[in-house]
Amino acid sequence: MIGRSIKTSESWKSLPWKKFRTNLFRLQRRVFKAVQVGDKRKARSLQKLILKSFAARWLAIRQVTQLNAGKKTAGIDGKTALTHEERFNLELLLRHKDWYHNKLRLIPIPKKDGSIRYLKVPTIADRCWQAIAKFALEPAHEAIFHVHSYGFRPGRGTQDARQQVFNNLNSKANGITKRILELDIEKCFDRINHSTIMDNLIAPRALKTGVFRALKAGINPEFPEQGTPQGGVFSLLLANIALNGIENIHQYHASKERRITPKTPKEHIINACVRYADDMVFFLRPQDNAEGILERISQFLADRGMKVSEKKTKLTASTDGFDFLGWNFQVQQNGKFRCIPSVENFKNFRKKVKHIVNNSNYGAKVKAEKLAPIVRGWRHYHKYCDMSGSRFSLWHMSFTAFRVFNRETKMDRHTTKKLMEKAFPKVPNSENAFIKVQGNKSPFDGDLVYWSKRNSKLYDGATSKQLTKQNHTCGKCGLKLTSEERVHLHHIDGNHNNWKPKNLVVLHESCHDYIHMSNREKK
């Protein structure tokens, strides 16, 4: 145990993080296996061990204060960061069995339709407790979550959902004859019934009590029995728990699908639904009763305190196309499936680029640095769909940027061209080459070989080559690079222009942060 008097940055960095992660994952894997075989009693006993775990507390504090994207957003305590001494003191506080949540800070966020939704942010201490709770809850529910649920789950993402849409609408699935029910839930996070979450929660009594208090801390006075706060660490997990099972409302046998020859057994069931959190689409054949399916969906949601948004829910022919997760999907008249960036997604991207290019507060070099991650991220997100259209090549954007850069800096064309290459980096397009997650696989199943190799395929270029060279392990801590944490490419000599293989190493995001923190302190 770390001495209580030692509360410096060195003592924080010297904590055995590798051992912590190994110990926590071992418990999580056992929870997953126990629920998978139906032994929930054993699972709850193991969850108690996670809640008491020394490793879980430290990893939760590091996750909330150093790794999470929203780490700089303050709760009602006004704190956006903790000193090393405060982190050690927080670990002592998290040992208490009965945890009482503080009230939440409400941050108004305008929506596209002009309305306002509220982000409800807990304090840092409450977020750390929720992170520990998530460590215990997530593996238990990953064992029972539906195979076609992809939103905010470890090891799954939007690309898996996109590939499943392709599986439902390609020529083999006779997609040209299908209709798409685009479902929208009205104020999903504000209307989820608390009793639904609590009834479906796989957790010991103490953990259930803590979750219930967290839900009550963020209630809307008008709906005291509804809502899960958006901004909490485990709010998205709770939403997935409440909505799990909606995918089973519409399903049929593969033997009845004209162009599908099922493997064993003969009557293989197809779930014609793809869900990403509260966004979902159902695929209907000509003989399916759309009104009957929508009625069953409405009843499912009503039992959970929610309802379908009549304005945004619509039935569309596959040949007319529909938008989902930033893409536009359409089956052409020749039966070929086509996926391109949606109009709205492209407009938002163009707006960001235009704002940077036309900004007069900084010069061409700074603009190029700011543009690079935005352009690379957009191209990477859409790399598996059809990007052959002229506007998706970004020629017009890059030409406008070239003229602005040339006018502002008055540099020679060769120097400006180098800046443009930096501002608009190329990402190789691989239409429909993405390999979807296999069946109901989960990172908690313990198959580290599968998940480390799969994680390597999510990266390209130098990162992908280095992952293979390092046998999918972190160059600092030596643990496997699974989907649990993002992978960073580190330049050993600090020179980001030196791309020689000997100067590159792939690391966990947290390991990468610690290396740079140590380098800054040495200087």
Side-chain angles (χ1 to χ4, degrees):
M1 183 180 289
I2 302 298
R4 294 187 181 184
S5 61
I6 306 175
K7 299 175 182 178
T8 64
S9 60
E10 286 300 321
S11 60
W12 173 261
K13 285 185 289 186
S14 64
L15 286 170
W17 297 110
K18 179 178 178 180
K19 183 180 178 181
F20 288 164
R21 281 200 288 199
T22 303
N23 291 344
L24 176 62
F25 180 75
R26 185 175 64 251
L27 287 172
Q28 288 180 314
R29 183 177 59 186
R30 292 176 66 191
V31 171
F32 178 87
K33 296 287 186 183
V35 176
Q36 204 172 38
V37 298
D39 192 351
K40 292 185 179 180
R41 183 177 180 179
K42 182 179 179 181
R44 285 190 285 267
S45 297
L46 292 166
Q47 286 175 317
K48 290 179 182 178
L49 293 179
I50 292 177
L51 295 176
K52 298 176 184 177
S53 169
F54 191 66
R57 290 195 295 272
W58 287 117
L59 288 171
I61 293 170
R62 187 182 67 160
Q63 185 71 36
V64 170
T65 60
Q66 291 186 295
L67 300 181
N68 281 355
K71 61 187 176 184
K72 295 183 180 179
T73 306
I76 60 168
D77 57 353
K79 290 187 176 181
T80 57
L82 297 179
T83 63
H84 293 96
E85 185 175 358
E86 287 174 328
R87 291 176 194 168
F88 280 90
N89 292 335
L90 178 56
E91 189 274 329
L92 297 175
L93 182 65
L94 290 170
R95 295 183 186 185
H96 293 296
K97 293 181 180 179
D98 292 329
W99 188 265
Y100 290 89
H101 273 67
N102 294 289
K103 291 184 178 180
L104 309 180
R105 178 192 171 201
L106 269 62
I107 301 176
I109 298 176
K111 296 176 73 174
K112 301 173 192 174
D113 57 3
S115 61
I116 295 176
R117 72 178 179 91
Y118 288 93
L119 189 67
K120 301 176 181 180
V121 184
T123 63
I124 290 180
D126 288 335
R127 272 178 271 173
C128 289
W129 184 89
Q130 289 185 18
I132 297 172
K134 188 180 178 183
F135 288 153
L137 291 171
E138 195 166 47
H141 289 277
E142 275 294 311
I144 59 173
F145 275 157
H146 196 277
V147 66
H148 294 320
S149 167
Y150 301 101
F152 307 105
R153 292 179 57 189
R156 293 165 181 258
T158 53
Q159 299 294 348
D160 296 286
R162 185 202 61 79
Q163 191 64 30
Q164 185 59 26
V165 172
F166 169 77
N167 293 343
N168 277 277
L169 292 180
N170 61 25
S171 57
K172 290 182 180 179
N174 207 14
I176 195 170
T177 65
K178 291 184 178 178
R179 296 165 293 160
I180 290 82
L181 178 61
E182 302 174 60
L183 188 70
D184 185 85
I185 303 174
E186 187 175 322
K187 296 182 179 179
C188 175
F189 288 89
D190 295 330
R191 296 292 181 268
I192 297 176
N193 196 294
H194 291 171
S195 60
T196 298
I197 295 174
M198 301 310 298
D199 291 343
N200 290 284
L201 212 59
I202 302 173
R205 183 180 297 177
L207 181 51
K208 278 193 172 186
T209 303
V211 172
F212 186 73
R213 288 171 180 166
L215 291 172
K216 292 303 179 185
I219 61 171
N220 183 338
E222 297 178 15
F223 305 95
E225 300 298 326
Q226 292 178 293
T228 177
Q230 296 182 64
V233 175
F234 60 13
S235 58
L236 294 168
L237 173 61
L238 297 181
N240 272 334
I241 291 171
L243 291 172
N244 188 46
I246 196 172
E247 302 89 349
N248 293 324
I249 287 176
H250 177 49
Q251 56 188 17
Y252 54 85
H253 293 142
S255 57
K256 296 180 181 179
E257 184 64 51
R258 191 170 63 182
R259 297 191 184 183
I260 293 180
T261 303
K263 298 179 181 179
T264 56
K266 291 184 178 180
E267 292 188 337
H268 178 65
I269 294 177
I270 291 178
N271 286 83
C273 172
V274 176
R275 181 170 75 84
Y276 191 90
D278 60 330
D279 292 328
M280 63 197 86
V281 288
F282 289 82
F283 303 96
L284 279 59
R285 300 166 300 169
Q287 65 268 37
D288 292 328
N289 183 356
E291 292 182 2
I293 293 170
L294 187 57
E295 186 177 339
R296 294 200 298 274
I297 292 171
S298 298
Q299 184 59 52
F300 178 94
L301 295 175
D303 294 340
R304 288 153 178 78
M306 297 172 280
K307 65 177 182 178
V308 173
S309 173
E310 296 181 2
K311 292 182 180 179
K312 298 180 181 179
T313 298
K314 53 186 176 180
L315 189 65
T316 311
S318 62
T319 51
D320 292 336
F322 65 99
D323 291 348
F324 184 55
L325 301 178
W327 292 295
N328 178 265
F329 300 96
Q330 183 183 19
V331 179
Q332 299 172 320
Q333 293 300 328
N334 60 2
K336 185 179 179 181
F337 175 85
R338 186 172 185 238
C339 170
I340 59 174
S342 68
V343 172
E344 184 180 355
N345 180 276
F346 184 75
K347 282 183 178 179
N348 291 337
F349 167 68
R350 185 174 60 184
K351 186 178 179 181
K352 291 179 183 178
V353 173
K354 189 176 180 181
H355 175 74
I356 294 173
V357 172
N358 294 336
N359 197 315
S360 58
N361 293 331
Y362 33 77
K365 289 184 178 179
V366 177
K367 288 179 180 180
E369 291 175 358
K370 288 182 175 292
L371 282 173
I374 295 174
V375 175
R376 185 186 297 109
W378 186 83
R379 279 179 161 161
H380 190 79
Y381 186 79
H382 298 293
K383 65 182 289 187
Y384 297 109
C385 61
D386 183 5
M387 299 291 281
S388 60
S390 59
R391 65 176 177 172
F392 301 140
S393 68
L394 308 185
W395 186 89
H396 293 286
M397 284 188 194
S398 57
F399 180 71
T400 303
F402 183 88
R403 289 194 302 174
V404 172
F405 287 6
N406 233 12
R407 184 174 66 248
E408 287 184 353
T409 59
K410 296 180 181 179
M411 293 184 290
D412 61 277
R413 293 179 68 87
H414 178 70
T415 308
T416 308
K417 187 178 179 181
K418 280 190 173 181
L419 268 183
M420 291 303 302
E421 290 175 354
K422 182 178 182 179
F424 289 84
K426 297 292 183 182
V427 173
N429 187 245
S430 310
E431 187 178 356
N432 288 331
F434 182 81
I435 300 176
K436 191 170 73 72
V437 62
Q438 186 179 27
N440 58 357
K441 293 286 291 181
S442 170
F444 299 114
D445 60 14
D447 191 353
L448 293 179
V449 174
Y450 170 82
W451 286 105
S452 57
K453 287 184 177 179
R454 173 176 168 76
N455 196 40
S456 302
K457 293 176 183 177
L458 301 179
Y459 299 90
D460 50 29
T463 305
S464 178
K465 291 178 182 178
Q466 198 63 31
L467 280 165
T468 305
K469 184 179 178 181
Q470 293 178 207
N471 195 25
H472 319 290
T473 57
C474 175
K476 186 177 188 298
C477 69
L479 292 177
K480 286 286 186 181
L481 291 159
T482 62
S483 57
E484 175 190 2
E485 196 174 327
R486 285 192 294 269
V487 169
H488 281 194
L489 187 65
H490 175 61
H491 294 74
I492 297 172
D493 64 358
N495 180 10
H496 284 208
N497 294 321
N498 183 1
W499 289 88
K500 293 180 179 179
K502 291 183 179 180
N503 189 48
L504 303 175
V505 61
V506 286
L507 309 166
H508 287 111
E509 180 186 15
S510 56
C511 294
H512 194 201
D513 288 344
Y514 281 128
I515 287 176
H516 282 287
M517 284 169 59
S518 299
N519 291 340
R520 284 195 297 268
E521 289 175 2
K522 287 177 182 178
K523 292 178 182 178

